[in-house]
Amino acid sequence: MTGSSGKPAVIGVAGWKNSGKTTLVVRLVEELTGRGFRVATVKHAHHHFQIDDKDTDTARHRGAGARQVAIVSSRRWALISELKDEPEPALDDVIAKLAPCDVVIVEGYKRAAIPKIEVRRRAAASHVALADSDPHVLAVAADHAIETGEIPSFALDDAAGLADLICTALRLRNPS
């Protein structure tokens, strides 16, 4: 549940390219929502990304110069903001714009000062351990045997075990 400040708990999932971050985030969302928590996610992209095709109405609105475009239907809505020459917003600012929820899972943001789970996979682009230099790493999830010292390690597909760790570390009480 959200804290007394009304802010959601935040947990990061960080690792190198091709380490399995997205797969783990999806599994954690499924596990935590299955337990009754309201979950939001924030994904960091290191490149120009497109969420609407060049031929959609919203893309045409943005192309014409609109700084923000909202698209709304009876099933979902989205807000797209163009930064132009403004800097990328801080993670805290992005989280503050989310709808009320119990926990936010942040994918990427390797250097953010938030509690996080490091993801390691043999197929990853790098094998440099983030936990060696990041005191915010609570656990490591890997697809192979690893030595993590004092930090707990989990199998990459152990979403239930990782969700238990998240609930304990972030003091989340089961909403049901």
Side-chain angles (χ1 to χ4, degrees), residues 9-53:
V10 177
I11 184 73
V13 173
W16 300 102
K17 183 178 174 77
N18 295 325
S19 62
K21 296 181 301 292
T22 300
T23 300
L24 181 56
V25 168
V26 168
R27 288 177 177 155
L28 288 173
V29 169
E30 291 170 345
E31 181 69 29
L32 290 167
T33 57
R35 295 180 185 197
F37 291 104
R38 298 171 302 161
V39 179
T41 64
V42 175
K43 164 125 175 103
H44 189 257
H46 292 284
H47 46 77
H48 179 74
F49 66 92
Q50 187 71 21
I51 62 169
D52 53 357
D53 186 274

Side-chain angles (χ1 to χ4, degrees), residues 51-53 55-62 66 68-81:
I51 62 169
D52 53 357
D53 186 274
D55 294 327
T56 63
D57 293 344
T58 55
R60 292 178 62 205
H61 296 181
R62 287 186 310 108
Q68 286 194 314
V69 176
I71 182 167
V72 182
S73 78
S74 62
R75 297 198 177 262
R76 69 182 58 94
W77 72 276
L79 179 64
I80 306 163
S81 297

Side-chain angles (χ1 to χ4, degrees), residues 21-172:
K21 296 181 301 292
T22 300
T23 300
L24 181 56
V25 168
V26 168
R27 288 177 177 155
L28 288 173
V29 169
E30 291 170 345
E31 181 69 29
L32 290 167
T33 57
R35 295 180 185 197
F37 291 104
R38 298 171 302 161
V39 179
T41 64
V42 175
K43 164 125 175 103
H44 189 257
H46 292 284
H47 46 77
H48 179 74
F49 66 92
Q50 187 71 21
I51 62 169
D52 53 357
D53 186 274
K54 64 181 177 175
D55 294 327
T56 63
D57 293 344
T58 55
R60 292 178 62 205
H61 296 181
R62 287 186 310 108
R67 294 292 298 252
Q68 286 194 314
V69 176
I71 182 167
V72 182
S73 78
S74 62
R75 297 198 177 262
R76 69 182 58 94
W77 72 276
L79 179 64
I80 306 163
S81 297
E82 288 294 326
L83 293 175
K84 302 291 182 193
D85 295 326
E86 296 172 25
E88 179 179 316
L91 178 57
D92 286 342
D93 294 336
V94 174
I95 291 170
K97 293 182 185 300
L98 297 173
C101 62
D102 301 313
V103 62
V104 176
I105 302 174
V106 177
E107 180 181 340
Y109 289 94
K110 274 193 283 296
R111 307 288 181 236
I114 58 172
K116 63 183 70 98
I117 297 165
E118 179 183 348
V119 183
R120 298 182 193 170
R121 213 176 69 168
R122 286 188 182 101
S126 174
H127 297 284
V128 174
L130 301 176
D132 290 348
S133 61
D134 187 344
H136 301 288
V137 174
L138 301 177
V140 177
D143 71 347
H144 57 284
I146 56 171
E147 180 56 46
T148 58
E150 303 273 324
I151 299 171
S153 63
F154 293 81
L156 192 52
D157 60 356
D158 186 4
L162 286 161
D164 290 342
L165 173 98
I166 291 167
C167 290
T168 299
L170 302 182
R171 297 184 177 106
L172 292 172

